[in-house]
């Protein structure tokens, strides 16, 4: 089910950069890495493996990092959006605008590194926390979007008004809906993959993380604030 929220996974993962901005090669390597991260590139081969524990302190730092990156990504996307008409024109001004766009991306890479440093998080920590956050928030958001809880209440109310025989016929559908609601509430898949402790600590900041997710969608949609 999480596959249907692939875009959400990309958006939340964008808050975790894939390589340190200072590791780019000369001649625009940092800019190329930034573009790869914007497209949801994979983590580097040197990323740590094995279980990762998300502490309350690390999660709080990550939420602050996300908010800072929202400002950075919002500015970047607006700048790139403004380049569109000029690039289509194919004029000398368009070429100059393209150069400005590359500089904008390079500044974003530095801002990303600065935000990580200010939060006291390593590149790997940002990526590992983002992975857990994505799994949890995507499922919770899907449950709200599909409004299964509201639909279950309506279905149960309808069932209660039916004759006994019809109630029995509707029972499997009601039970199936209950299981769906329970899945979005208890997050069994995320708990199996990341452990109860990690899921529970992420849920302590669910409101903030959901807001960050929604704001990131707006930033990538080019919504002006």
């Amino acid at each position: 089910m999480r596959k249907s929220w692939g875009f959400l996974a990309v958006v939340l993962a964008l808050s975790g950069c894939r390589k340190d901005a200072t590791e780019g090669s000369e001649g625009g390597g940092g800019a190329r890495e930034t573009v790869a991260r914007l497209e949801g590139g994979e983590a580097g081969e040197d990323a740590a493996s094995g279980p990762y524990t998300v502490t309350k302190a690390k999660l709080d730092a990550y939420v602050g990092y996300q908010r800072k990156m929202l400002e950075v990504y919002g500015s970047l996307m607006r700048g790139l959006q403004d380049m569109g008409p000029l690039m289509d024109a194919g004029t000398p001004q368009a070429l100059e605008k393209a150069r400005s766009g590359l500089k904008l991306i390079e500044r974003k890479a530095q801002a990303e590194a600065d935000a990580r440093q200010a939060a006291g998080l390593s590149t790997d920590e940002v990526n590992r926390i983002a992975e857990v956050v994505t799994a949890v928030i995507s499922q919770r958001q899907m449950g709200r979007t599909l409004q299964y809880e509201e639909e279950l209440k309506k279905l149960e109310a309808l069932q209660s008004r039916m004759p006994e025989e019809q109630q029995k016929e509707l029972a499997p559908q009601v039970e199936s809906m209950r299981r769906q609601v329970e899945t979005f509430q208890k997050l069994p898949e995320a708990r199996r993959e990341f452990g109860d402790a990690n899921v529970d600590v992420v849920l302590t900041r669910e409101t903030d993380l959901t807001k960050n997710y929604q704001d990131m969608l707006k930033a990538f949609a080019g919504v002006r604030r």
Side-chain angles (χ1 to χ4, degrees), residues 25-130:
S25 61
E26 294 183 1
R32 288 194 295 272
E33 287 183 0
T34 299
V35 172
R37 290 197 295 271
L38 283 169
E39 295 173 349
E42 295 297 325
E45 294 179 358
D46 58 345
S49 59
Y52 179 81
T53 300
V54 181
T55 65
K56 184 66 166 61
K58 291 292 186 183
L59 182 66
D60 290 344
Y62 176 79
V63 172
Y65 166 83
Q66 269 195 330
R67 293 309 305 177
K68 181 61 178 177
M69 290 311 301
L70 278 167
E71 299 174 10
V72 174
Y73 280 116
S75 176
L76 173 65
M77 298 310 292
R78 286 192 295 271
L80 294 178
Q81 184 185 47
D82 291 340
M83 289 173 57
L86 276 176
M87 294 300 292
D88 292 339
T91 62
Q93 290 84 354
L95 182 59
E96 182 59 33
K97 199 68 174 179
R99 293 194 184 99
S100 298
L102 288 176
K103 292 179 181 178
L104 187 66
I105 292 173
E106 290 170 351
R107 286 198 298 271
K108 174 263 170 192
Q110 184 58 53
E112 191 173 35
D114 292 344
R116 279 200 317 277
Q117 184 175 6
L121 298 171
S122 68
T123 301
D124 183 60
E125 285 176 320
V126 168
N127 287 333
R128 301 294 289 276
I129 295 170

Side-chain angles (χ1 to χ4, degrees), residues 171-181:
Q173 185 176 346
V174 173
E175 182 58 30
S176 176
M177 183 72 73
R178 284 200 187 105
R179 287 196 297 270
Q180 291 283 1
V181 170

Side-chain angles (χ1 to χ4, degrees), residues 1-13 40 134 138 142:
M1 187 173 292
R2 280 165 53 193
K3 290 182 180 179
S4 63
W5 281 78
F7 178 61
L8 171 60
V10 171
V11 169
L12 288 177
T134 297
S138 65
M142 183 184 289

Side-chain angles (χ1 to χ4, degrees), residues 111-175:
E112 191 173 35
D114 292 344
R116 279 200 317 277
Q117 184 175 6
L121 298 171
S122 68
T123 301
D124 183 60
E125 285 176 320
V126 168
N127 287 333
R128 301 294 289 276
I129 295 170
E131 188 178 11
V132 183
V133 168
T134 297
V136 172
I137 300 303
S138 65
Q139 284 287 288
R140 300 287 278 193
Q141 184 64 27
M142 183 184 289
R144 282 188 288 269
T145 300
L146 296 178
Q147 298 182 321
Y148 274 7
E149 288 189 56
E150 290 79 0
E151 292 302 317
L152 176 60
K153 291 176 183 177
K154 293 177 183 178
L155 198 59
E156 288 174 332
L158 175 63
Q159 185 186 39
S160 67
R161 295 193 297 269
M162 289 179 168
E164 183 176 352
E165 188 63 30
Q166 290 182 329
Q167 287 186 23
K168 292 180 180 179
E169 293 177 359
L170 190 61
Q173 185 176 346
V174 173
E175 182 58 30

